[in-house]
Amino acid sequence: MGTRIEINKLVKVFGQGQAAARAVDGIDLTIEPGELFFLLGPSGCGKTTLLRMIAGFIDPTEGRIAFDGKNVTHAPPNKRNTGMVFQSYALWPHMTVAQNVAFGLNVRKIAGEKRDKMVRQALAAVQMDKYAERRPTQLSGGQQQRVALARAMVINPDVLLLDEPLSNLDAKLRNDLRHEIRRICKASGNTTVYVTHDQKEALSMADRIALLRDGKIVQLGSPRELYRSPKSRFVAEFLGETNLIKAERAATTTLRVEAGAFEATRLRDQDQSESKQILVSVRPEATSLTPVGEPGSLQGALLETTYLGETAQHLVELQGCPPIKIAEMNPFGSSSRIHPEPGDLVGVRFDPGEVVPVEAD
């Protein structure tokens, strides 16, 4: 179940001459059947253009798109059997929920009891069957989003496409609906391509993520791979917070900054002949406060602490480094090792296995 999508050397150029802009620049990508695949990146990176080329709304300048080996590069949208959920939902206000969901079936000349059964099943899948006779204006934003999803899925599409479907909702509702959308998409077995600029959305929902920048894929992998093993400064900074530290290689797995030396076990995989100056990424949650002088720690001064309930964010000044961000779980609880005040000297320890060498971009 699900459709394999193959994209080869895909290019889209808007404009001509000096005004020409390459929105998508030579992308090669395979999306596996039944996969929930995310296109992630900042505004203007080409993710929506790529999604619309998969849908057939935009014609590529160069390259090839295939569904299960069938070339659909220049096929119109109605010949691709894709379902699309737009950012604005695009529901017709004069129609009921059931009529909105039935629209695609009417276009395909599916009528009568068969159509009504398919509509009921689609609404039940998104838990909106009891709202079938309401108008979209009588629904909340989250409910409208579910109706738009049901309308896209009712036609049993080969590929389901979602263009930032949660961006118009408030933060709490977005969080609540992430799990629900993933459940619906995985239960359907459809191959799903989902566009977002929200890294939390992608990390919490995706099977795999392609992170785009300037029309190119800069890194491809599972959420865990991209977050824990970023290849470049851009990836490390885009996917959450990180500490970026320029250090000198002192030994096979030892790095040195002005404040002292620390271990980085992932350096074993690097060629020793590479430059001794290395840029590394360390996530705040892989960094901890320790008592001053503890083995393996660097001494610094606490600049500030922001208490957030379940966590606290510390900012520490280390000689020769930008301010170091530290995330502490259950701060000030019985498990906390120290309770420093701003201005106090503290130790800072990096988890050796979480110090990741990255390209400077």
Side-chain angles (χ1 to χ4, degrees), residues 46-60:
K47 57 187 185 294
T48 295
T49 300
L50 177 55
L51 185 81
R52 288 176 174 266
M53 284 194 285
I54 295 171
F57 298 141
I58 295 177
D59 207 36

Side-chain angles (χ1 to χ4, degrees), residues 1 8 50 53 57 62 98 113 135 191 220 227 296 303 306 312 320:
M1 204 170 179
N8 303 111
L50 177 55
M53 284 194 285
F57 298 141
E62 300 173 19
E113 178 55 32
R135 308 275 180 179
T191 302
L220 173 66
Y227 187 81
L303 295 175
T306 303

Side-chain angles (χ1 to χ4, degrees), residues 24-334:
V24 172
D25 192 4
I27 284 182
D28 288 302
L29 179 64
T30 298
I31 301 172
E32 299 298 339
E35 194 169 29
L36 179 49
F37 191 92
F38 271 62
L39 300 173
L40 175 67
S43 297
C45 71
K47 57 187 185 294
T48 295
T49 300
L50 177 55
L51 185 81
R52 288 176 174 266
M53 284 194 285
I54 295 171
F57 298 141
I58 295 177
D59 207 36
T61 305
E62 300 173 19
R64 181 177 183 271
I65 302 171
F67 288 178
D68 281 341
K70 180 183 177 183
N71 190 341
V72 297
T73 310
H74 302 292
N78 64 322
K79 299 296 183 182
R80 300 192 188 203
N81 193 30
T82 58
M84 186 89 175
V85 178
F86 297 94
Q87 184 174 343
S88 63
Y89 312 140
L91 300 176
W92 285 277
H94 64 286
M95 294 183 181
T96 65
V97 164
Q99 289 168 341
N100 267 280
V101 174
F103 182 83
L105 299 175
N106 293 332
V107 171
R108 288 163 173 77
K109 310 298 183 186
I110 299 172
E113 178 55 32
K114 182 179 180 181
R115 178 197 60 197
D116 295 343
K117 181 180 179 182
M118 292 174 72
V119 169
R120 287 195 300 271
Q121 289 174 337
L123 287 174
V126 298
Q127 300 175 358
M128 287 295 293
D129 41 326
K130 64 182 179 182
Y131 299 96
E133 299 308 313
R134 291 197 185 182
R135 308 275 180 179
T137 53
Q138 297 174 300
L139 303 177
S140 68
Q143 290 169 334
Q144 290 183 49
Q145 186 271 334
R146 291 176 190 229
V147 174
L149 191 58
R151 183 179 60 184
M153 293 174 64
V154 73
I155 61 172
N156 294 319
D158 293 327
V159 177
L160 182 62
L161 306 169
L162 297 96
D163 187 7
E164 305 212 40
L166 302 182
S167 61
N168 291 331
L169 305 178
D170 63 67
K172 184 178 184 307
L173 189 52
R174 283 202 306 271
N175 290 338
D176 293 344
L177 285 175
R178 285 173 188 165
H179 173 75
E180 188 65 13
I181 290 179
R182 177 173 170 83
R183 181 193 65 78
I184 293 166
C185 291
K186 297 305 288 186
S188 73
N190 295 117
T191 302
T192 303
V193 186
Y194 189 123
V195 161
T196 186
H197 64 274
D198 185 331
Q199 68 268 24
K200 296 291 188 186
E201 212 167 285
L203 290 171
S204 63
M205 295 174 65
D207 292 327
R208 282 195 304 153
I209 300 169
L211 181 54
L212 278 73
R213 184 187 192 189
D214 298 331
K216 298 178 183 290
I217 295 175
V218 293
Q219 192 166 343
L220 173 66
S222 69
R224 181 176 295 182
E225 289 168 345
L226 265 64
Y227 187 81
R228 294 197 62 232
S229 302
K231 292 181 178 178
S232 68
R233 176 178 188 145
F234 171 76
V235 177
E237 289 187 308
F238 192 83
L239 288 171
E241 289 192 284
T242 193
N243 296 300
L244 290 165
I245 302 166
K246 289 182 180 178
E248 184 174 311
R249 191 168 192 156
T252 303
T253 61
T254 303
L255 293 175
R256 183 173 294 279
V257 293
E258 285 185 48
F262 59 96
E263 290 298 300
T265 55
R266 293 202 196 186
L267 292 178
R268 284 197 196 95
D269 302 327
Q270 276 206 330
D271 185 349
Q272 292 259 13
S273 65
E274 293 180 13
S275 170
K276 284 193 173 184
Q277 291 291 328
I278 295 177
L279 181 67
V280 294
S281 164
V282 194
R283 298 292 184 187
E285 63 272 20
T287 310
S288 56
L289 287 178
T290 70
V292 174
E294 182 169 292
S297 69
L298 306 176
Q299 183 174 301
L302 182 66
L303 295 175
E304 63 180 54
T305 292
T306 303
Y307 180 65
L308 298 172
E310 73 278 11
T311 62
Q313 294 179 349
H314 305 291
L315 201 62
V316 176
E317 185 175 46
L318 282 185
Q319 193 171 359
C321 299
I324 300 298
K325 292 170 280 191
I326 300 171
E328 181 187 9
M329 294 298 295
N330 190 25
F332 313 118
S334 58

